[in-house]
Amino acid sequence: MFFADVLETEGLGNRSHLAGGARAAVVVDPPRDIDRVIAAAARRGVRIVAVAETHVHNDYVSGGLELARLTGARYLVPAGADVAYARVPVADGDVEPVDEDLVLRAVATPGHTPHHTAYVLEDAGRAVAAFTGGSLLIGGVGRPDLVEPRLTESLARAQHASAHRLAAALDDEVALLPTHGFGSFCSSAPAGHTHSTIGAEKASNPVLAQDVDTFVKELLAGLDDVPAYYAHMGPANARGPAPLDLTPPRRADAAEIARRLAAGEWVVDLRSRTAFAEGHVSGSFNFEVDGQLATYLAWLVPWGRPVTLLAATAEDVARAQRELARVGIDRPAAAAVGTPADWLADGAEPASFPRSTFAGLAAARARREDVVVLDVRRDAERAGGWIDGSTHIPVHQLPRRLAEVPPGTIWVHCAGGMRAAVAASLLDAAGRPVVAVDDGFAAAAEAGLPLATAPAEATAEAVEAPEAVEAVEAPDA
């Protein structure tokens, strides 16, 4: 008998896996915070004897090296990966014992990276699960453009071949257990389901139904923006990440918060967008702890800039600290808990800005107010329709493009409210009058706001030019 447990890292859209038998187990693509993995193994009553990486990750810092060190497990890393630490190099066909009658077989699956390797769990000689990392995913494949632009097309072709190799070699009932595809930007398309099998993918996954030329053309046409912090993840994983330190950060008082803001550091308010709009420390930025905190903060903050966290509770600080460590923001410079009254220097007043809806925006336009509509969605979202006359700057580009926002009161929106809140805080910190539209974009048409769309010929041209098209992101909260 075998088991295969999923360890989700929802904020990043990734999954790690703990799989084994009665006494021993292997961990595939572990997260940075390995205490979760050790606890899961303890609940199962198994010893971790192997830690396997499908590739050198580009989207998060791996905990594999430290997990192997702490448990004494063999650390399996694809032989083609250029890393600076001792590991067990694995090549196509290599077999790693896990437990009685249970082995892990390496399958070379280049595409997401040149050295990508999937692992097939075999129970008494029968394949039962495939840990496919960023190769064959649920409803798609991992993107091939994260390594080197000049390799993107060749890696896309390799990705097609790897997916077909897995489908041909494995029985339909084999469980498909990928690392990416649940909101991760490493995936070329969002997953439609949370569980799948090889047979289910044969019936529905486009990569297994398309010829290689069609697949490559459509895959390259749908590639999304790459989060800026990805540039730092691969090198960190190749060097060997340092052990994680989750001890509480030093506490900052109001005077220190003011000094850090004056020095140009980032002070991040983790409270809800509603609470932030009602009152906050002037110059601070709002990244909700319940949103995609790690992805968007790591994407927007200048890399290496000190970050101070403000939160309602110590638990929220600890949660944010854990999430940020997963993407290489290891130690907050400081933290403070409470309310704006606790964080403001003597004599300072809290800043605030209004929130509204698309109906409120329509009413403001009808009153002929000096309204600037700023759309901070990404390109592919906007391609499906936008408010006529709006300015478009994706939120991840806003810090360097603030000067492009026209004068007037800025009504900022996204698809659901979270990114609009981030953008509103950036604009507010820059001294711009802003209204955060906290509403789903479908309500824009319902409110009677005029919508525009790209002409059909422009859409066709965009398909021919991959750099002009982006995949639709998972809707934000």
Side-chain angles (χ1 to χ4, degrees):
M1 293 295 292
F2 75 96
F3 71 87
D5 294 341
V6 173
L7 305 175
E8 294 201 49
T9 305
E10 292 182 356
L12 298 178
N14 285 328
R15 290 179 168 185
S16 303
H17 299 92
L18 174 73
R23 293 180 299 277
V26 59
V27 179
V28 181
D29 290 343
R32 181 81 184 280
D33 46 333
I34 59 173
D35 56 328
R36 294 191 294 145
V37 181
I38 292 171
R43 287 192 295 270
R44 279 285 186 179
V46 293
R47 182 168 63 92
I48 297 172
V49 296
V51 176
E53 303 281 12
T54 57
H55 59 295
V56 175
H57 301 281
N58 288 291
D59 61 326
Y60 70 93
V61 180
S62 171
L65 183 62
E66 180 67 2
L67 181 61
R69 185 186 70 82
L70 287 177
T71 61
R74 286 164 57 83
Y75 191 28
L76 314 180
V77 178
D82 185 11
V83 296
Y85 43 82
R87 88 286 195 202
V88 178
V90 292
D92 187 54
D94 285 354
V95 174
E96 180 72 19
V98 177
D99 204 349
E100 185 177 358
D101 293 329
L102 203 63
V103 300
L104 200 67
R105 184 179 300 275
V107 181
T109 48
H112 187 48
T113 66
H115 60 265
H116 192 283
T117 300
Y119 298 93
V120 175
L121 187 68
E122 297 179 355
D123 185 6
R126 178 177 63 91
V128 292
F131 303 100
T132 55
S135 182
L136 180 64
L137 309 183
I138 300 175
V141 294
R143 55 193 297 172
D145 62 324
L146 301 180
V147 177
E148 159 61 54
R150 292 171 295 182
L151 297 179
T152 296
E153 182 172 346
S154 63
L155 286 177
R157 292 182 178 277
Q159 190 71 295
H160 182 273
S162 292
H164 280 258
R165 181 188 184 192
L166 289 169
L170 299 173
D171 293 337
D172 286 357
E173 65 270 18
V174 173
L176 181 71
L177 299 171
T179 301
H180 303 312
F182 308 95
S184 168
F185 287 90
C186 273
S187 173
S188 64
H193 303 282
T194 57
H195 298 85
S196 189
T197 62
I198 293 295
E201 295 309 303
K202 288 179 181 177
S204 62
N205 196 315
V207 67
L208 298 178
Q210 295 172 323
D211 65 82
V212 63
D213 290 331
T214 301
F215 165 77
V216 170
K217 179 181 178 180
E218 294 188 4
L219 177 66
L220 299 186
L223 292 176
D224 202 347
D225 281 357
V226 178
Y229 69 90
Y230 275 27
H232 305 280
M233 300 297 97
N237 286 321
R239 288 191 305 268
L244 182 58
D245 179 5
L246 291 177
T247 57
R250 62 184 305 275
R251 292 303 172 95
D253 59 17
E256 181 177 347
I257 292 168
R259 287 196 303 271
R260 290 187 178 278
L261 282 168
E265 297 182 10
W266 275 41
V267 174
V268 174
D269 191 326
L270 301 169
R271 295 175 302 146
S272 72
R273 52 186 181 256
T274 302
F276 184 88
E278 290 175 351
H280 56 270
V281 177
S282 180
S284 62
F285 303 133
N286 183 212
F287 290 80
E288 297 174 298
V289 73
D290 289 325
Q292 290 176 280
L293 169 68
T295 294
Y296 282 100
L297 179 54
W299 198 340
L300 271 68
V301 67
W303 197 253
R305 186 75 56 88
V307 174
T308 295
L309 303 177
L310 309 180
T313 67
E315 289 75 18
D316 284 345
V317 170
R319 178 178 164 192
Q321 184 179 354
R322 179 180 290 267
E323 290 194 24
L324 294 176
R326 294 169 181 160
V327 292
I329 302 177
D330 282 7
R331 294 291 299 168
V337 171
T339 67
D342 303 306
W343 307 328
L344 288 164
D346 290 343
E349 294 293 327
S352 64
F353 53 78
R355 297 165 55 251
S356 191
T357 61
F358 284 109
L361 172 57
R365 275 190 161 187
R367 294 192 296 268
R368 299 186 179 278
E369 294 180 8
D370 185 16
V371 169
V372 174
V373 180
L374 177 62
D375 181 350
V376 296
R377 297 174 300 161
R378 294 206 302 280
D379 290 349
E381 295 173 282
R382 186 171 169 90
W386 62 88
I387 296 172
D388 193 30
S390 62
T391 297
H392 179 226
I393 303 176
V395 69
H396 61 274
Q397 299 177 12
L398 187 58
R400 59 183 170 83
R401 297 178 61 187
L402 284 170
E404 298 178 30
V405 182
T409 299
I410 305 159
W411 289 64
V412 59
H413 78 86
C414 60
M418 183 195 75
R419 288 170 293 168
V422 172
S425 72
L426 295 170
L427 291 160
D428 177 72
R432 300 295 302 273
V434 64
V435 178
V437 177
D438 195 356
D439 206 354
F441 187 70
E446 297 169 3
L449 289 164
L451 301 184
T453 57
E457 58 269 21
T459 302
E461 290 174 4
V463 170
E464 294 299 323
E467 66 276 10
V469 181
E470 299 180 76
V472 178
E473 73 170 329
D476 60 9

